[in-house]
């Protein structure tokens, strides 16, 4: 019998700051902390939201269980009369991908963003009550990133006042939309609008795809699930689907007509609503993804940090409280710290840049609604870049956390495999990360070329106004402590970013055409974009620290995390900093020394720093990351639950093992 | 109806070398090519070896199917009277993890390596006929990398002439051995040998764990499966297990006694067989893993390369043979090339270093048997380092290939998720990759300290003899073409490696104790070890090119791949090269230019270069990587096979979807 105890109590007692105050910083506000905490506990204590059995379920069982949970979520939301904020926290903590995610996250916003007031009055109540379930059908089998290449057509038939939705080729099949395969009754379908023989490009249409009576696909609609995806559990609980149309007719007024419409006579007319508003939706989705990245990474970091404090291996003999010799805690190895602590710092860094992006989005929408489009390109580039940067870093970071847990991280019960499998698609959806960085780099090149015309760069590119200084400035670091000065850090990152961009801009002029130059130099352009985006994260972290931060020792911990985040980036991208002359080799070596000393400073606080995420054991879903650190007995307990352990002698023994051992295979039917 | 055609024929016609000759180079010899080719086709054409349904099987179904296949493999091996070489190719191409992998790869070699002649005569025939099935039980729940920390005990009882095998704690439970959970009848168990009250450390014992009559665990044995692991399919087809002993007695002569034994009187006696021979087994297993890494990476590269040539997206309008406008092939984007082509180069690089390691192992064993242990430490460090380097790079490379396939790479039918999930544990098993690199760095530090004593470094450390030259030499590159000179490349890598090592050695002296120094500087030591191991791969690739290589254009392609491998490493680790002054920023920029030009040179050959791996569509198991490039119709076909598509209306509709849509959830039981 194991004692019930907190195996990490000793670690917690070492913290040099107020965890409770840090929880509020992490949550963003006292209110956000209180609401999320209440809902998290509600979910964790309800057996209806159990999720520890997902990995062993077959596809059908998993899917059915997700259907049950989605219905149960909706039932509880209504029973408890939850506010919109509370409902969204509930869905978040239930942590199981299902059609509702797309319905609320993509379908409803698409109607709000692209439908006219009249259309919204018709469709939104139905969607808000879930009397219809919607999905968002854009991507096609042959067309992902290049939306302009979509092949599905919506041809206006003036005779009947209808659009004919059609999939002319196999590659035009809609492919990937979540909730489409088996559930959605309606879809916002993106198709080329053709009227009067002319192709007006891709527009959105609201199309019913299944009967509300018997759930059968409507005539002309072929729809199904696209098959298993990476991992057990993860995205397999949701029915990503394919969808093909064979001349399916919809009324003209199911074109989403906020920005442009087709008249009864088949004339294409643009409304006076600015198209730019549609970009706002893109900014919205991407800032959500940045927030998701910090959550996914912080979950993995929480698991790896706690387990690294529990796990012991090698090392000079220590003695525990009973005088028994024990091995060294894995977290005390510098190799472990140098991989794990920067990820902990990144989780906080991404959290704060996500918080700022949320503000940016609100600010942008206000401007757009006031017909001020001046900040849109910068906001768009910045959001695209941060989506790319944070999702790539989080995916790599989750994988690293998993390696940091050694072999046991590979067990489903560690929670890490599913966390990884469920997060990694974020690197591709809503814009492939490399494609997005190329967009950022194009914006940077444009900004640089406009410097000469005297146009002042704004927002996250404001530093580019100081190009002359940044091109020739020299880093002033002379001793390791100098690296703790935020303005020194900032200037090094600014110098690196602008020097890489300027070098690209200069090299581009050497090619016959800009197109050829962009093509040949694209790998360099991507690196310049990364440098720019890392600068944004660094500067927003530093700005956060300039705010009034309360709580005993809280600010000091955040400063240490910020130092680690920045200095580790310098170490990782040292080639950039040295080749651009932004810092010297000697200064790089001092940065490494300072980084090492920051790890030691952080060490006694790391368990408390992951506690501050305030994740319940239910939400974490990890035996290795348990709050109480009671890892080994629980791993053993989990193992027994595998279906293979249902019987002592496995199914298949009599047919396949016994005849082999008895050398009687020659007559066996196999 | 799609035409049956080779969608990649145009790509294949562009190749500037003999694919057939390259296949032989890849296979290692004409003989190896012929045998493997014959067996690959045999497996691919036998429906009994079908593997395309793995992802959708439940744990029990998957396990049972693996049992069937393992029996079928054994039956076919006997029916066809396959040679040992052919049998091992057959198991390789069947490509499904099962107990036989551990039986043949770990259990049988352990007996051969650690049992006396007499013991071998008793046990080997049983194992060779599979009348017993064995596993290798070393790792424990609480103890992985640190073998000396194992807790299981084997206490000699002189009265009965038996060892008592016991698991004194929960953490001493054996944990992870493959085939243990539900299948193995016997295990080589590593336990602390205790006799006469003294602990002689960890030794191997042969223990029967299940009855050969009814397969039930023997008295005192608790055994089961440790549960689901990462991915669907992948390692879930094998029963990694746990094992606990409650005072289980085995005869004294089941201790593996080649190197040491316990007498009837309980006296511990070392034999005259040198202990070093046991290290030979470690070298053996690790060189196999290096070979596995090149195979796993090349599979992923083959899939991503073919799909990148099929997939089109964006770009200036091209015209196909019918004059129809088409998008640009993804493989023509420089961002795609700069990520994919270095991986293709790495696959070849790892193949050749693996080939060399195989030779090294044979050479080592001959020396050990002649009582020459002088090369063992170097061979050991080199194998450990290359295991770490190649498995980490292959795991990252597979993930990158998967991202290079965009969203569709995430589908199980792409083959990439399972390839990744099945390979990534190689970063942890047989030595955690970071722990191994620390071992390498310790060896490097020792080598450096011995330079002063005049001891001549051997083998892969021979370059260290030129430390004085390498510390002060300057890279001579003045124009991009200079980077094509192998001796220039080699010297840059040697300079970088030795300068990092020497810097570590110097910094170590600044600490109070070597132990403290090693601990504090371990992240730097790891980087020095990586630099050393990369140098080994680079130098073996260059050595390979100095051999007589036949075949039209073959050598030229390998030279281009070698250039890409080396120049990409310089780009990736630029911080190292610049901070050590091994090259200048200007030279780095020339290396980038040369790298870009090598990509263009390689472009028309890449499909043929992955064809040279000679993988069947069965072995690849990927719709995206199909030889004929007929990707889209087959993706659609695969999608229909998902269990969710068995019925039009999904199971769960009536309980969970209909009542929700009808707003009748309040009374539903969920």
């Amino acid at each position: 019998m194991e004692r019930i105890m907190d195996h990490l109590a000793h670690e917690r007692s070492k913290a040099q700051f107020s965890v409770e105050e840090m929880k509020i910083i992490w949550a963003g506000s006292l209110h956000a902390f209180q609401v999320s905490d209440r809902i998290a506990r509600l979910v964790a204590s309800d057996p209806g939201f159990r999720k520890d059995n997902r990995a062993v379920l077959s596809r059908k069982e998993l899917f059915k269980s997700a259907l049950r949970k989605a219905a149960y979520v909706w039932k509880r939301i209504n029973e408890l009369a939850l506010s919109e904020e509370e409902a969204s926290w509930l869905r978040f903590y239930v942590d199981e991908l299902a059609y509702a995610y797309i319905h609320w996250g993509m379908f409803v916003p698409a109607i709000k963003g692209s439908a006219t007031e009249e259309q919204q009055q018709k469709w939104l109540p139905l969607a808000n009550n879930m009397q219809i379930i919607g999905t968002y059908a854009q991507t096609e089998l042959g067309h992902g990133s290049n939306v302009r290449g979509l092949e599905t057509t919506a041809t206006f038939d003036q005779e009947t006042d209808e659009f004919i939705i059609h999939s002319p080729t196999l590659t035009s099949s809609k492919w990937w939309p979540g909730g489409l395969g088996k559930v959605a009754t309606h879809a916002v379908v993106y198709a080329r609008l053709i009227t009067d023989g002319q192709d007006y490009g891709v527009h959105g249409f609201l199309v019913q795809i299944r009967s509300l009576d018997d759930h059968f696909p409507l005539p002309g609609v072929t729809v199904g699930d696209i098959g298993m995806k990476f991992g057990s559990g993860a995205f397999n609980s949701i029915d990503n689907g394919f969808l093909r149309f064979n001349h399916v007719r919809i009324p003209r007024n199911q074109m989403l007509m906020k920005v442009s419409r087709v008249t009864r006579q088949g004339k294409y007319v643009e409304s006076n609503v600015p198209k730019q508003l549609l970009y706002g939706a893109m900014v919205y989705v991407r800032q959500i993804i940045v927030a998701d990245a910090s959550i996914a990474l912080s979950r993995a970091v929480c698991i790896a940090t706690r387990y690294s404090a529990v796990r012991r291996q090698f090392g000079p003999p220590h003695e525990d409280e009973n005088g028994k010799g024990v091995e060294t805690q894995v977290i005390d190895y510098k190799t472990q710290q140098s991989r794990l602590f920067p990820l902990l710092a990144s989780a906080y860094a991404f959290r704060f840049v996500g918080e700022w992006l949320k503000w940016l989005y609100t600010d942008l929408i206000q401007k757009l609604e006031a017909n001020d489009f001046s900040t849109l390109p910068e906001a768009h580039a910045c959001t695209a870049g941060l989506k790319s940067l944070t999702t790539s870093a989080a995916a790599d970071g989750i994988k690293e956390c998993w390696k940091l847990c050694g072999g046991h991280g590979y067990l489903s019960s560690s929670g890490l495999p599913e966390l990884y499998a469920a997060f990694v698609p974020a690197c591709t959806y809503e814009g492939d990360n490399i494609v997005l960085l190329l967009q950022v780099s194009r914006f940077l090149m444009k900004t640089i070329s406009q410097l000469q015309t005297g146009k002042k760069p704004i927002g996250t590119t404001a530093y580019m106004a100081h190009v002359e200084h940044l091109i020739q400035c020299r880093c002033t670091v002379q001793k390791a402590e100098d690296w703790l000065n935020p303005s020194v850090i900032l200037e090094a990152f600014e110098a690196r970013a602008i020097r890489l961009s300027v070098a690209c801009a200069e090299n581009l002029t050497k090619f016959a055409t800009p197109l050829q130059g962009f093509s040949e130099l694209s790998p360099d352009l991507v690196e310049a974009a990364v440098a720019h985006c890392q600068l944004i994260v660094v500067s927003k972290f530093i700005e956060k620290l300039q705010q009034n931060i309360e709580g005993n020792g809280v600010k000091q911990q955040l400063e240490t995390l910020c130092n680690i985040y920045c200095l580790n980036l310098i170490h990782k991208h040292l080639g950039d900093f040295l080749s651009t002359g932004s810092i010297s080799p000697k200064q790089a070596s001092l940065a490494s020394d300072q980084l090492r000393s920051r790890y030691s400073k952080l060490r006694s606080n790391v368990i408390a720093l992951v506690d501050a995420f305030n994740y319940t054991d239910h939400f974490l879903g990890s035996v290795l990351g348990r709050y109480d650190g009671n890892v080994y007995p629980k791993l053993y307990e989990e193992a027994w639950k595998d279906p293979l352990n249902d019987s002592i002698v496995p199914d298949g023994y009599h047919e396949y093992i016994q005849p082999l051992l008895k050398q009687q295979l020659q007559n066996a039917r196999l």
Side-chain angles (χ1 to χ4, degrees), chain A:
Chain A
M1 185 69 189
E2 298 286 324
R3 278 178 299 167
I4 293 167
M5 62 179 286
D6 179 358
H7 294 261
L8 292 169
H10 177 63
E11 287 287 338
R12 296 194 164 102
S13 71
K14 288 195 291 189
Q16 299 159 307
F17 70 100
S18 158
V19 183
E20 294 309 312
E21 297 280 352
M22 188 67 92
K23 284 181 181 172
I24 294 163
I25 296 285
W26 177 264
S29 70
L30 180 60
H31 170 78
F33 167 71
Q34 287 171 334
V35 180
S36 63
D37 184 64
R38 179 160 45 80
I39 303 289
R41 286 165 203 278
L42 188 148
V43 171
S45 63
D46 185 337
F49 293 127
R50 184 186 158 192
K51 64 179 175 125
D52 59 347
N53 58 344
R54 275 198 300 220
V56 300
L57 299 181
S58 73
R59 180 82 212 274
K60 276 184 174 173
E61 291 164 344
L62 180 70
F63 179 67
K64 191 173 176 183
S65 135
L67 289 183
R68 183 194 63 73
K69 253 184 246 184
Y72 187 56
V73 165
W74 190 230
K75 188 181 180 186
R76 292 300 286 156
I77 287 172
N78 289 308
E79 283 173 350
L80 300 168
L82 296 186
S83 68
E84 205 169 306
E85 183 191 15
E86 291 167 325
S88 105
W89 277 116
L90 183 76
R91 279 190 290 267
F92 171 76
Y93 282 116
V94 167
D95 188 38
E96 178 133 339
L97 278 165
Y99 59 86
Y101 188 81
I102 310 297
H103 177 83
W104 295 111
M106 307 280 290
F107 180 72
V108 171
I111 294 178
K112 285 184 182 165
S114 307
T116 61
E117 285 298 327
E118 199 188 328
Q119 289 176 316
Q120 293 191 36
Q121 274 168 25
K122 173 173 178 187
W123 294 102
L124 275 186
L126 293 170
N128 284 335
N129 291 328
M130 297 201 93
Q131 291 170 279
I132 61 174
I133 299 173
T135 184
Y136 184 90
Q138 178 179 301
T139 308
E140 297 176 356
L141 182 53
H143 311 276
S145 300
N146 186 13
V147 178
R148 289 185 192 170
L150 293 179
E151 294 178 79
T152 306
T153 51
T155 311
F156 182 62
D157 179 358
Q158 200 189 326
E159 210 159 300
T160 61
D161 199 21
E162 290 170 322
F163 284 104
I164 305 165
I165 312 288
H166 187 60
S167 312
T169 60
L170 177 69
T171 46
S172 74
S173 310
K174 294 296 174 187
W175 193 272
W176 277 115
L180 168 64
K182 293 282 143 187
V183 177
T185 61
H186 289 67
V188 168
V189 173
Y190 287 86
R192 317 193 73 79
L193 191 165
I194 296 167
T195 178
D196 240 354
Q198 198 177 333
D199 181 337
Y200 287 90
V202 174
H203 290 71
F205 300 83
L206 208 149
V207 187
Q208 181 173 354
I209 54 174
R210 285 188 171 88
S211 157
L212 289 171
D213 295 325
D214 60 11
H215 209 62
F216 270 69
L218 295 185
V221 170
T222 306
V223 60
D225 185 276
I226 59 169
M228 287 284 284
K229 292 139 289 184
F230 184 36
S232 34
F235 267 73
N236 292 303
S237 61
I238 195 169
D239 52 333
N240 297 90
F242 60 81
L243 174 63
R244 302 184 70 177
F245 297 102
N246 185 7
H247 300 95
V248 170
R249 289 172 171 269
I250 59 167
R252 179 169 56 91
N253 67 10
Q254 284 178 219
M255 170 184 175
L256 298 176
M257 302 209 265
K258 189 181 222 164
V259 169
S260 56
R261 64 193 174 93
V262 169
T263 65
R264 179 67 190 87
Q265 288 71 36
K267 215 181 134 211
Y268 182 83
V269 183
E270 300 201 355
S271 78
N272 56 3
V273 174
K275 272 193 181 174
Q276 287 89 337
L277 268 178
L278 298 184
Y279 286 97
M282 225 188 257
V283 171
Y284 172 76
V285 173
R286 287 177 184 162
Q287 60 92 11
I288 298 265
I289 297 178
V290 171
D292 287 348
S294 85
I295 289 161
L297 180 58
S298 59
R299 283 170 79 165
V301 166
C302 181
I303 295 167
T305 305
R306 288 181 180 161
Y307 180 60
S308 297
V310 170
R311 181 79 172 173
R312 294 173 177 273
Q313 205 79 180
F314 288 113
H318 297 260
E319 286 191 358
D320 66 10
E321 61 268 35
N322 306 318
K324 198 185 150 202
V326 291
E327 296 170 295
T328 303
Q329 285 171 289
V330 166
I331 202 167
D332 282 324
Y333 289 102
K334 297 292 167 182
T335 42
Q336 194 83 353
Q337 295 180 2
S338 69
R339 295 156 74 200
L340 180 59
F341 293 0
L343 296 174
L344 175 57
S346 301
Y348 275 91
F350 296 169
R351 184 75 182 181
F352 297 142
V353 84
E355 205 171 60
W356 170 77
L357 268 186
K358 210 166 144 187
W359 167 84
L360 181 79
Y361 169 71
T362 317
D363 181 65
L364 175 71
I365 291 301
Q366 283 172 358
K367 290 201 169 94
L368 292 183
E369 282 171 354
N371 272 317
D372 170 5
F373 309 123
S374 62
T375 64
L376 182 60
E378 189 265 327
H380 184 257
C382 158
T383 330
L386 290 174
K387 182 272 180 185
S388 174
L389 185 80
T390 57
T391 55
S392 290
D396 289 348
I398 297 168
K399 196 196 64 180
E400 191 71 7
C401 284
W402 168 20
K403 285 196 194 167
L404 287 165
C405 292
H408 298 346
Y410 193 66
L411 287 168
S412 295
S413 56
S414 79
L416 292 165
E418 183 159 359
L419 189 57
Y420 183 68
F423 183 74
V424 86
C427 296
T428 309
Y429 63 58
E430 291 304 315
D432 174 87
N433 279 354
I434 296 293
V435 173
L436 292 181
L437 289 173
L438 283 170
Q439 288 175 7
V440 173
S441 70
R442 256 179 236 115
F443 173 72
L444 293 176
M445 293 306 105
K446 199 171 166 189
T447 306
I448 284 182
S449 74
Q450 288 175 339
L451 287 177
Q452 290 141 8
T453 69
K455 189 172 171 188
K456 215 177 151 171
I458 56 163
T460 54
T461 52
Y463 72 100
M464 290 188 156
H466 315 296
V467 56
E468 280 172 32
H469 167 73
L470 290 171
I471 283 286
Q472 48 76 28
C473 69
R474 287 174 158 277
C475 175
T476 57
V477 166
Q478 291 187 313
K479 50 189 196 306
E481 293 71 48
D482 295 341
W483 276 118
L484 299 180
N485 182 343
S487 59
V488 166
I489 290 271
L490 211 50
E491 189 172 86
F493 275 88
E494 286 177 349
R496 167 215 182 199
I498 208 159
R499 291 177 194 193
L500 288 176
S501 278
V502 166
C504 284
E506 283 170 3
N507 288 334
L508 280 173
T509 63
K510 297 177 190 161
F511 291 86
T513 66
L515 194 68
Q516 198 198 341
F518 267 100
S519 160
E520 282 295 319
L521 297 179
S522 53
D524 297 351
L525 287 160
V526 164
E527 288 174 9
V530 167
H532 171 73
C533 296
Q534 287 176 344
L535 166 63
I536 301 177
V537 182
V538 164
S539 64
K540 294 304 158 192
F541 206 151
I542 290 174
E543 278 175 25
K544 176 82 188 177
L545 293 173
Q546 284 157 356
Q547 294 172 16
N548 180 28
I549 294 176
E550 291 180 7
N552 180 25
V554 167
K555 189 168 188 168
Q556 287 82 338
Q557 294 308 317
L558 294 178
E559 279 168 351
T560 306
L561 288 169
C562 182
N563 291 328
I564 289 176
Y565 181 74
C566 301
L567 293 172
N568 177 63
L569 279 184
I570 292 178
H571 181 71
K572 221 172 129 189
H573 296 271
L574 193 53
D576 281 4
F577 285 91
L578 291 178
S579 68
T580 55
S582 306
I583 69 171
S584 71
K586 172 69 188 158
Q587 289 166 332
S589 159
L590 293 172
S592 291
D593 293 344
Q594 183 56 256
L595 184 56
R596 218 166 36 235
S597 109
R598 293 298 99 183
Y599 292 153
S600 303
K601 194 173 161 65
L602 196 71
R603 167 62 187 91
S604 59
N605 298 286
V606 290
I607 294 296
L609 283 168
V610 301
D611 286 348
F613 303 148
N614 200 38
Y615 294 146
T616 61
D617 279 348
H618 171 274
F619 182 66
L620 271 187
S622 166
V623 173
L624 302 186
R626 290 172 62 88
Y627 182 84
D628 67 5
N630 190 24
V631 168
Y632 295 120
K634 293 295 172 181
L635 272 178
Y636 190 64
E637 215 176 292
E638 279 305 308
W640 276 108
K641 294 180 188 164
D642 193 90
L644 284 190
N645 293 325
D646 288 350
S647 61
I648 293 178
V649 172
D651 187 20
Y653 166 71
H654 294 285
E655 304 96 303
Y656 309 127
I657 300 177
Q658 194 177 43
L660 179 138
L661 289 168
K662 302 288 178 206
Q663 303 191 273
Q664 293 164 343
L665 274 185
Q666 61 277 19
N667 304 316
R669 282 191 59 191
L670 298 174

